[in-house]
């Protein structure tokens, strides 16, 4: 049983990230946590059992998935109240990120139980950091609706969404999603698709939706696997006009604010980086 420093003899829930492909991404802390807890709540016990066997982990398992997690929330709360420790894992990656667990964690935190994150692999972050798209601001949309009409409505709502948009897609619907993106955004949007992250055939595809559809047509193997789709729909703006507008805004703000505060406020107004605006403000003050 995992020991706790709390005066109360209550267990904790550990949110444990598991590998999304490469088993070497499994952290030492995650392995040790799964060995020490009393129970592991798994999205698919058969899938998790294979992972546990590979790392010689013999902790008891029970299932926790989309269809039973509301009921399991009370069960886990009862276990924790008895001083029992539980780890939550999904089939791959970080639990709750488009995987089960939200209702359990929300319930336990509302009841005052300790919930401990044990971070690790996440397809979302792994793909985004290697995409070459802006990472200072991004929006994660999870999985999109299965029906075309609803999917297009969601995509259209992104036109006013700041930052890079990221969503997950399956091999069965990636072609249709690309066709919908081409219809909604045309050729102006930049796309990067990450396929089979950390696995043998990890691939990044870049271009417009039409260009990526052509890649699929040229090589059907590119349709295989699980996808992280990243979209930068912001139009390229004239840098000179942008610079003039930044200077205009900063000049107004500097009439009443010190340089640091003016740069901070200008960053909120324009969405541009604070450090760059701070340098412009210093030039204006000199």
């Amino acid at each position: 049983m995992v020991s706790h420093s709390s005066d109360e003899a209550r267990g904790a829930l550990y949110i444990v990230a598991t590998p999304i492909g490469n088993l070497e991404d499994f952290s030492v802390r995650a392995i040790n946590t799964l060995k020490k807890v009393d129970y592991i709540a798994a999205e698919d016990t058969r899938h998790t059992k294979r992972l546990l066997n590979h790392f010689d982990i013999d902790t008891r398992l029970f299932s926790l998935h989309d269809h039973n997690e509301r009921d399991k929330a009370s069960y886990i709360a009862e276990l924790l109240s008895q001083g029992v420790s539980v780890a939550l894992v999904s089939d791959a990656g970080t639990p709750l990120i488009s995987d089960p667990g939200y209702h359990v964690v929300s319930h336990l935190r509302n009841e005052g139980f300790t919930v401990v994150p044990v971070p690790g692999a996440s397809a979302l972050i792994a793909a985004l950091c290697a995409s070459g798209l802006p990472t200072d601001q991004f929006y994660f949309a999870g999985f999109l609706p299965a029906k075309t009409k609803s999917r297009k409505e969601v995509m259209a709502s992104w036109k006013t969404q700041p930052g890079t948009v990221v969503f997950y897609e399956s091999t069965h619907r990636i072609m249709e999603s690309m066709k919908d993106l081409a219809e909604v955004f045309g050729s102006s949007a930049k796309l990067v698709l990450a396929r089979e992250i950390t696995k043998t055939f990890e691939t990044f595809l870049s271009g417009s939706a039409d260009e990526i559809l052509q890649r699929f047509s040229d090589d059907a193997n590119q349709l295989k696997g699980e996808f992280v789709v990243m979209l930068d729909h912001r139009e390229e703006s004239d840098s000179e006009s942008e610079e003039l507008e930044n200077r205009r805004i900063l000049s107004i703000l500097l009439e009443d604010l010190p340089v640091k505060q003016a740069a901070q406020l200008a960053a909120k107004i324009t969405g541009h980086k604070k450090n760059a605006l701070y340098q412009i403000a210093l030039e204006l003050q000199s």
Side-chain angles (χ1 to χ4, degrees):
M1 184 182 297
V2 174
S3 61
H4 307 286
S5 59
S6 171
D7 292 335
E8 296 182 81
R10 306 207 323 167
L13 176 71
Y14 294 83
I15 311 299
V16 180
T18 56
I20 57 177
N22 192 324
L23 293 179
E24 293 182 4
D25 292 334
F26 210 12
S27 74
V28 173
R29 182 186 174 201
I31 294 169
N32 288 338
T33 298
L34 294 185
K35 286 181 176 180
K36 292 177 181 177
V37 294
D38 300 291
Y39 290 98
I40 298 172
E43 183 180 6
D44 183 333
T45 55
R46 293 166 300 180
H47 179 93
T48 299
K49 186 64 177 176
R50 291 193 291 272
L51 177 70
L52 300 186
N53 288 341
H54 182 85
F55 289 95
D56 296 321
I57 301 170
D58 58 5
T59 306
R60 290 170 289 183
L61 286 167
F62 64 85
S63 66
L64 189 150
H65 46 71
D66 285 328
H67 304 295
N68 74 354
E69 71 162 299
R70 290 180 183 272
D71 295 330
K72 290 293 185 181
S74 297
Y75 172 65
I76 294 175
E78 179 61 27
L79 289 176
L80 267 54
S81 69
Q82 298 171 13
V84 172
S85 57
V86 179
L88 172 64
V89 300
S90 60
D91 287 347
T94 301
L96 280 78
I97 308 301
S98 288
D99 278 328
Y102 162 72
H103 297 291
V104 170
V105 172
S106 179
H107 177 75
L108 294 179
R109 289 195 61 83
N110 287 337
E111 294 295 317
F113 290 100
T114 299
V115 179
V116 181
V118 182
S122 170
L124 162 67
I125 301 302
L128 186 61
C129 71
S131 69
L133 297 180
T135 58
D136 55 328
Q137 194 174 24
F138 64 90
Y139 169 73
F140 178 54
F143 285 98
L144 302 190
K147 295 186 179 298
T148 298
K149 183 176 182 294
S150 299
R151 193 163 57 236
K152 286 181 180 178
E153 289 174 352
V154 170
M155 290 175 176
S157 72
W158 298 339
K159 290 185 175 181
T160 57
Q161 176 67 49
T164 299
V165 177
V166 187
F167 66 94
Y168 290 160
E169 192 53 277
S170 70
T171 186
H172 307 293
R173 287 208 300 264
I174 188 63
M175 181 77 83
E176 294 305 313
S177 286
M178 287 301 102
K179 291 178 180 177
D180 292 342
L181 281 171
E183 186 172 329
V184 173
F185 289 97
S187 60
S188 61
K190 298 177 182 177
L191 282 169
V192 177
L193 272 63
R195 183 175 72 89
E196 296 290 85
I197 292 290
T198 79
K199 300 176 184 176
T200 303
F201 297 105
E202 175 181 287
T203 307
F204 283 79
L205 302 176
S206 303
S208 68
D210 284 333
E211 289 170 337
I212 289 173
L213 284 168
Q214 186 61 51
R215 291 287 300 277
F216 290 159
S217 177
D218 294 340
D219 181 4
N221 287 323
Q222 299 301 327
L223 284 164
K224 297 177 181 178
E226 300 299 316
F227 292 84
V228 181
V229 182
M230 294 157 284
L231 166 72
D232 180 10
H233 60 85
R234 292 170 287 190
E235 295 182 2
E236 294 291 338
S237 57
D238 183 77
S239 58
E240 187 174 337
S241 298
E242 212 169 66
E243 175 84 6
L244 290 172
E245 180 64 8
N246 288 341
R247 288 178 175 275
R248 186 187 71 81
I249 292 171
L250 283 166
S251 295
I252 295 170
L253 295 174
L254 287 168
E255 292 177 3
D256 300 303
L257 296 172
V259 170
K260 184 176 181 180
Q261 290 182 14
Q264 288 175 335
L265 186 53
K268 291 181 180 179
I269 294 170
T270 65
H272 297 150
K273 292 186 179 298
K274 182 178 64 177
N275 289 343
L277 292 167
Y278 181 77
Q279 293 302 319
I280 296 173
L282 288 176
E283 291 176 19
L284 292 171
Q285 287 284 75
S286 61

